[in-house]
Amino acid sequence: METADQRRMHLLAFPLYTGAHVAGWRHPDADVGRLHEVDYHRRVAETAERGKFDAIFFADAQGFRSIVGRDAYSRTDAPRLEPFGLLSALSMVTTHLGLIGTLSTSYNEPYSAARRLATLDHLSHGRAGWNVVTSTSENEAHNFGRDSHFGHEERYQRAHEFVEVCKALWDSWDDDALVLDQASGRYFDPDKVHGLHHQGRFFKVAGPLTTARPPQGYPVIVQAGASAAGQKLAAETAEIVFTSHPTLESAQKFYRELKAQVAAAGRDPSSCKIMTAIQPIVAASEAEARSIGAQLNGLIHPDLALSMLQMALGNVVDLSAFDRHGPLPDIPQTQAAQSTQMRMIDMARHENLTIEQTALRFAAGRTSKTDAGTPAQIADLLQTWFADDAADGFVISSAYLPGQLEAFVDGVVPILQERGLFRRDYEGTMLRDHLGLTRPRSRHEGRPELHVEPEIWQSAPAGAT
């Protein structure tokens, strides 16, 4: 674990398709036509690794977002690749960069998820991370045979059990289970492979995993929920918490309260890194950076912005029925992303924003902190938030790609390094090394009483064939 005098900020690259800004794909320097090509993603990953980032982090959903209207949705760079296939490819062209992918606990099964994550950790020699999400899109529910999405509390209860089953599956092989004795013909020690026989509210899983224990023990667990249920899950399980705040004060409050919950859950608060999303626009001068920002905001189509806001607010009120230049109407609480919903309502009320102003603000930066300036000004912002206990590091959501990530790596990172705030080189090869996290012990280590025989080699019933 890091000590106070060794504390350095952490950085994750968050490449949202062709950029985090909703109109980033329309910028003339955006590489818009190659989202399905590995070389595009390779360039982004290699840039992040050149900047000594802890990891690259891919968001995902298994369905379209519930943007209202086909015309509005067609104005976004919606196509996306399945993240773990992509990360496996990127593991072959990077050597140190952590590889974090999103995988839903609502529309997957623990066994296949644990196997997919263990495979990536092996292929990358210990660089895998799992962004645990519960999903919010109704289209995702419809793609998996459900008429509606899980309720908010239910999906977090399911997520908690899902994560625990995955950890048990990763522990189903002891670290030294592989014997590899060619002379005797013994590949692994059967006494060091454990069944699971889990029977819970949501899942029934026999085990063991068909994949040996991952190099990191467990892939690094990432979680982004900011609701009360999401924070509880994060406090108990997460090693990185991805959050977004438009102000220093809200980020500090979240940081302070979540660290207290981590401690209350019996964990060392330093074992949970709180990473705040920042959408910086970097240029040689402040005027140039602000001009880029204004250009991007001017490219946001108002209909798209309104649809995105309606989606974020849970799609329970038709905003098009109200005067766009009037105040935001009352919004009932929904099963959607409740923390985002509350932040947008609070922002609109606190700043007396109209519906259209709220929509454009949300579309420009979602709920992340946005800023435009020189490399030194962006470094100043990160240093202030880091030093004032608003974050352990930052999720860099470049407005358009690959140019803005390259501007950050070439301009901001050297300043952070010169100030002693960020590493000059990697000090290990695994994602846990970068984050200063310990490797979790297997639940079976030193506890033979926990051994459960896998059912696959239990005695067959009499007469079975």
Side-chain angles (χ1 to χ4, degrees), residues 27-272:
H27 191 277
D29 292 338
D31 195 350
V32 298
R34 299 199 302 139
L35 276 178
H36 294 88
E37 297 179 20
V38 72
D39 283 346
Y40 167 78
H41 299 283
R42 174 179 182 167
R43 179 175 173 181
V44 172
E46 288 179 338
T47 299
E49 187 162 72
R50 178 163 58 83
K52 311 303 178 186
F53 276 50
D54 295 70
I56 191 169
F57 178 3
F58 285 102
D60 189 47
Q62 297 175 106
F64 280 153
R65 292 172 293 176
S66 302
I67 289 180
V68 180
R70 180 180 62 181
D71 182 67
Y73 198 71
S74 70
R75 300 181 187 279
T76 68
D77 51 343
R80 67 198 69 179
L81 299 177
E82 192 281 320
F84 287 93
L86 175 58
L87 289 168
S88 293
L90 295 180
S91 74
M92 301 294 102
V93 296
T94 55
T95 57
H96 289 75
L97 185 69
L99 305 166
I100 300 172
T102 297
L103 191 149
S104 171
T105 58
S106 297
Y107 304 112
N108 284 285
E109 289 293 320
Y111 193 92
S112 59
R115 190 165 180 254
R116 197 180 314 166
L117 284 152
T119 296
L120 178 61
D121 209 46
H122 281 289
L123 293 178
S124 65
H125 303 289
R127 294 186 282 136
W130 172 22
N131 178 36
V132 179
V133 300
T134 63
S135 299
T136 58
S137 166
E138 286 296 320
N139 182 237
E140 197 163 352
H142 300 164
N143 288 339
F144 286 84
R146 291 183 60 88
D147 293 330
S148 62
H149 198 34
F150 292 98
H152 188 267
E153 291 298 323
E154 182 182 11
R155 71 175 190 254
Y156 276 101
Q157 292 166 0
R158 177 185 170 98
H160 193 284
E161 184 178 341
F162 194 113
V163 172
E164 289 307 306
V165 172
C166 284
K167 288 180 176 179
L169 287 167
W170 292 324
D171 284 343
S172 62
W173 289 69
D174 290 351
D175 287 320
D176 59 350
L178 296 179
V179 177
L180 309 179
D181 189 340
Q182 292 176 311
S184 69
R186 176 77 72 186
Y187 198 91
F188 64 89
D189 184 343
D191 292 332
K192 295 184 177 182
V193 178
H194 311 275
L196 182 57
H197 297 263
H198 172 87
Q199 296 190 47
R201 176 183 172 188
F202 299 100
F203 306 108
K204 183 177 180 180
V205 183
L209 205 61
T210 59
T211 310
R213 195 163 194 253
Q216 294 186 104
Y218 307 154
V220 171
I221 304 295
V222 185
Q223 213 268 329
S227 65
Q231 289 186 46
K232 183 177 186 297
L233 177 65
E236 294 174 355
T237 66
E239 295 165 301
I240 296 176
V241 172
F242 172 23
T243 185
S244 60
H245 298 275
T247 68
L248 174 65
E249 293 73 22
S250 66
Q252 288 173 316
K253 181 176 184 292
F254 180 86
Y255 185 93
R256 182 172 59 252
E257 292 178 353
L258 185 59
K259 290 284 186 176
Q261 290 185 59
V262 173
R267 300 174 58 202
D268 182 343
S270 70
S271 69
C272 181

Side-chain angles (χ1 to χ4, degrees), residues 395-416:
V395 179
I396 304 302
S397 305
S398 300
Y400 61 85
L401 292 167
Q404 273 297 305
L405 180 60
E406 291 170 348
F408 185 93
V409 165
D410 294 334
V412 180
V413 167
I415 296 172
L416 297 175

Side-chain angles (χ1 to χ4, degrees), residues 291-344:
S291 176
I292 293 171
Q295 179 186 16
L296 288 169
N297 289 344
L299 292 171
I300 301 173
H301 196 285
D303 290 348
L304 172 61
L306 192 69
S307 295
M308 291 180 64
L309 178 62
Q310 183 164 320
M311 175 194 71
L313 295 176
N315 242 349
V316 291
V317 172
D318 180 6
L319 295 179
S320 66
F322 296 84
D323 179 5
R324 292 189 181 195
H325 304 292
L328 193 70
D330 291 335
I331 307 293
Q333 189 178 74
T334 73
Q335 297 297 340
Q338 294 179 2
S339 58
T340 299
Q341 183 188 48
M342 288 185 290
R343 284 178 195 162
M344 296 312 302

